Every structure is written in structure tokens, then in C-alpha cells.
Amino acid sequence: MSRNTGTALTRRRTYAIVVVAALVVGAALAPVAVERTSGPDGRIAVVSVDGYISTQSVGAVQEDLREARENESIRAVVLKVDSPGGSAAASEQLYMAVQRTAREMTVVASVQSTGASGAYYGMLPAENIYVTPASIVGSVGVRGAPPRPSRRARYGAARTRPPRPPTSGARRSRR
């Protein structure tokens, strides 16, 4: 019986050594496996630009872009755009916010359905703009009144052509 008892102890010791060795090897290889499977450091932030572009809606987008710039783990931003445009002032604010973010990290835009007028203008600083075949994109335009002539021009002080020579006093008849 002593021989069977000694064999059983040897098996238990061997089993214990194998388990401990497996744990040590697993603990040593775990960081390498996690690093290879997780990919490079950095996350991508998705910022939505939806609906009419107004000062209020752009304020929320500016805040999201600022947070993305300040977060060191974020390496890129995707602008998810679905907007027909909006006011010229708000579109300019959007443009400046995207431009500021594009200076610090990669910014790409994705148009879901519509990216027109001020929305298109706002995403122009992005490195790439991705669209679907059915997307409506483009047409940066601003409506405005034509410039009014200056006061000097209205009263003849600024002429664009030389004055007509004086006539000899004779009138032409129109027959």
C-alpha cells in the first residue's frame, strides 16, 4: 500500500506543478495577448450634426468636438451629418470648430442622407467626406441682398464714364 500512496502523492505533486506552471505562463503571456488583440491605442468619437444648423445646435457640436480634442485617448472624429444647412453665422461657427479639431486629429465626415449648404460648408475641413449614392451633398451658398450703391455714387460724385461733350445748342429731331 505504501507504494500506491507514494504514487498518488507523486501524481498530485505533478498535477500541482503543472497547474502552477500553466498559471505562471498564462500570467506572463496575458499582456502580450491583450495588446495584440486590442489593436492600437485610441478611440474614435462620433459627433452627430442633425437637422437645421442654428447657433444652439452648433453649440452642442462645438462642445462635443472640444471634449474630443481634450480627451487624449481619442485619436479621430467622425462627423455623422444629416442636415440641409442653416444660418450663415452658425455654419461658420461649425466650420471653425471642425477646422480647429482637424488641426489636432483626423476628422472625417459621413453624410447619411443630406449634407447641403451650411452643413456641407461645415464639414469641408474634414480630411475625407464619405457619402452614399443616394446622399444629397453640396451647394454651399449664401443668400444676400445685392450691394447698394454708395451715397457718392447715388448723387453722381463717382462717375464711371466721362461726361458727354456739350452740344452746340442745336437739338436733334427724331423723325
Side-chain angles (χ1 to χ4, degrees), residues 19-36:
V19 169
V20 169
L23 288 173
V24 169
V25 170
L29 293 179
V32 174
V34 168
E35 183 178 324
R36 288 191 181 178

Side-chain angles (χ1 to χ4, degrees), residues 6-96:
T7 308
L9 286 176
T10 306
R11 282 187 205 157
R12 286 183 183 164
R13 283 185 190 159
T14 305
Y15 181 73
I17 290 173
V18 169
V19 169
V20 169
L23 288 173
V24 169
V25 170
L29 293 179
V32 174
V34 168
E35 183 178 324
R36 288 191 181 178
T37 58
S38 67
D41 287 341
R43 292 187 278 170
I44 297 173
V46 178
V47 177
S48 294
V49 180
D50 296 321
Y52 184 79
I53 296 177
S54 65
T55 307
Q56 183 180 6
S57 66
V58 169
V61 173
Q62 286 176 317
E63 180 66 23
D64 291 344
L65 292 173
R66 184 187 60 73
E67 287 177 13
R69 286 191 309 270
E70 291 175 356
N71 188 336
E72 292 183 15
S73 69
I74 294 177
R75 300 285 182 236
V77 173
V78 174
L79 289 176
K80 183 178 162 193
V81 179
D82 188 9
S83 171
S87 77
S91 298
E92 180 70 17
Q93 290 175 344
L94 176 63
Y95 177 89
M96 299 298 286

